[in-house]
Amino acid sequence: MKKSPLPLQNACGGSKNQSLGKEALVKLLRWHFGHPEFRGKQLDAIEAVLSGRDCFCLMPTGGGKSMCYQIPALAKKTGIVLVVCPLIALMENQVMALKEKGIAAEYLSSTQATQTKNKIHEDLDSGKPSLRLLYVTPELIATPGFMTKLRKIHTRGLLNLVAIDEAHCISSWGHDFRPSYRKLSTLRSHLPGVPILALTATAVPKVQKDVIESLCLQHPLILKSSFNRPSIHYEVRYKDLLDDVYADLSDVLKSSGDVCAIVYCLERTMCDDLSAHLSKNGISCAAYHAGLNDKLRSSVLDNWISSKIQVVVATVAFGMGIDRKDVRIVCHFNIPKSMEAFYQESGRAGRDQLLSRSLLYYGIDDCKRMKFILSNADNKKSKASNSQEELSKKTLTDFQQMVEYCEGSGCRRRKILETFGEKVPASLCGKTCDACKHPNLVAKYLEELANTCIVRQKFGSSQIFMSSSSDTINEVRTSEFWNRDDEESCSEDDISDSDDGLAVKNLARSKLPKKLGISEKIECLQRLEERYYPDKSSDKQINKPEKNAISDTLRETSKQRLQNALKQAQQRLGNLKIEVEKSASFLENECYNKYGKTGKSFYYSQVASTVRWLSSADYTGLTNRLGTINSSLSDDAPPETEPPAARSPLVEGPTEITSSDFHDSIRSETSVAVSPTEIASPSTRLPPIPSFSQFINTRKTKDNRSSASEKKSPNGVQKNLEKRMRLQ
Ligand SMILES: Nc1ncnc2c1ncn2[C@@H]1O[C@H](COP(=O)(O)OP(=O)(O)OP(=O)(O)O)[C@@H](O)[C@H]1O
Ligand SMILES: [Mg+2]
């Protein structure tokens, strides 16, 4: 261990129980960690536990909670601090960082070599351990063998403190509930007199109460820092009012300079799709999600941490333990499941306390989808003491708060803080959220959004969440997107794998869990859909087409959009000779024939991707696609030098639907100028919208057909089709 600046024995006054004074503690902080002063409530927490008092410490993400147990470990002359941590990778990271500073720290987990573990145990059994901090999983604590060892250490007076990091995991009301944390409730009775420090960034009052009660904290000092993150500016943009959300995000990232950013998406396919789009726009980025292999994930993470890439487009797999301080933008491309999740994720911005930005893209369809997912999320939480019904209600109430954050016109910062029970004056924000900075504009957007919703409700394609709160909650809840493995099936000193842990697992190069294959996921979704519409009858299905009619007017509007995009493409490519009207009709017809039959959402999506494709397609791409209907075009040779914009073509034309098209079905196109009356009088008879199962089965058939024809196709076009059709 690095030699302490303090003659510890003297500083402690030779007595084990006497605590260091403030000055001595600051010295330790400066010497070991190089920080000039304690932050916020750190010193209070440290002093409390050093005096033997229990402490509940609530500090925001990046607030510096670790210091609250690391300094006490250094302040005592002998003995250890036991730190309970939910993820092996988190322990590995902290231990690595402490060792680099010359501090004697170790962790015990199933991933370590037996030799290493034996050495640690020998040290613990020695009666005078050299270790200062020992990190363990909650599962290990629960094993009788390890508890016996802890009791022995305690009897010898060598257990100075038990710190429970991420203590909210103990509560089934928290967003990261882990059944194994419940087992920590025995600590108090097994280790009487040892102070317990519970640390969390989750400020929900119910969680606080649960943590304090479950850990049997006795008259704990409760320290709560404000959850306000003044350096983060908050903003919501409305997908349904934007022409092209991808382009909008591209612009945001480009105009911010080469800054470090995280873009959160709900699904893996969306990450891939968006990342590819941003890359094509010259943004240094990569996708990160549990569907990628270990090696790829590790390299994405390494590249991002070392600033080789600036933007990570990720699912929530990119979470707990990510400690890059200079993240300037955290964007939620889809609405998160709760304010808690939003706060944690957006809180990854500005850990260096410098100005940063939280941008959320809110879309009505995203909202519907999330609600569906949450209503069907898994029922593991029912294993806890709270009833399933109560939890289900809570899940939807939590989501409702998130919707209100987006759909409300009041100060966003205030809304976040109020969610966590903080009452703050209106002036606190100081125009650091869009609602305070541009109240009229936000009000206008919300009005437009409401109008769009009315139109779409008439359409039958959408429904704003707030107006549909009476929906029933299904009995079985399963989520595809942040499923957690059953911890109770874990080996005793192992931890469960979770998406949240993936990123840090990669940091530490740990083994990753095996996730469900796509086919299992599809089956699962199909089953869920059946549960979601338990009373669906064929009659109901027959009624659907009317609602989803694609009128001539709508088709005309789409043609117009395509014409405009074609004209722009023409200009971009140096007056390319195409018959704009004819080409637009051709493209629109393609969209209609392929997807019109499956409903408006797919049709919208298809038109949208065609417009996107046109905005970056190159000469060859356009020729291939439109050559047959533009004889002048196919006869022409491509211009000798293409303008720069055409040099990075989209490889694939929007010939087939991708899963992201399916999921993110209505992007910018929902705001097309179609009046409700026009929509209500469809002139085209349409077949029913397929259920998810039908859609998947259709896709499977198409997939088969496509791969069969690919074998015959020498030009590779089918390969692209197949690629775009993949669901994962
Ligand atoms: N007193 C301090 N002065 C300056 N920097 C500090 C201080 N205390 C901690 N830090 C730094 O703040 C960063 C965040 O600390 P830490 O990881 O402990 O936060 P946390 O509250 O545990 O966050 P999370 O909720 O994400 O786990 C670290 O880089 C740490 O070095
Ligand atoms: Mg922490």
Side-chain angles (χ1 to χ4, degrees), residues 599-649:
K600 275 200 306 290
S601 296
F602 298 150
Y603 174 74
Y604 283 140
S605 169
Q606 195 55 24
V607 174
S609 33
T610 309
V611 169
R612 263 206 317 279
W613 172 69
L614 285 170
S615 70
S616 59
D618 68 354
Y619 187 92
T620 320
L622 276 162
T623 311
N624 285 345
R625 202 160 157 78
L626 300 171
T628 47
I629 54 147
N630 287 280
S631 46
S632 56
L633 185 63
S634 44
D635 293 343
D636 269 0
E640 275 189 3
T641 326
E642 281 183 19
R647 284 210 191 117
S648 60

Side-chain angles (χ1 to χ4, degrees), residues 71-128:
I71 291 286
L74 296 165
K76 292 276 185 180
K77 189 183 150 216
T78 50
I80 64 163
V81 166
L82 185 78
V83 185
V84 182
C85 208
L87 298 169
I88 291 173
L90 272 181
M91 302 196 294
E92 282 176 335
N93 285 344
Q94 287 212 12
V95 168
M96 210 162 32
L98 290 168
K99 280 183 169 175
E100 274 169 19
K101 291 178 170 58
I103 298 167
E106 286 293 353
Y107 67 94
L108 277 171
S109 93
S110 58
T111 57
Q112 281 166 310
T114 316
Q115 212 184 351
T116 317
K117 282 196 237 182
N118 288 345
K119 249 179 133 181
I120 297 168
H121 283 295
E122 265 172 40
D123 188 53
L124 293 174
D125 295 338
S126 71
K128 200 172 185 247

Side-chain angles (χ1 to χ4, degrees), residues 141 216 458 519 690:
I141 298 258
C216 311
K458 290 217 175 189
S519 47

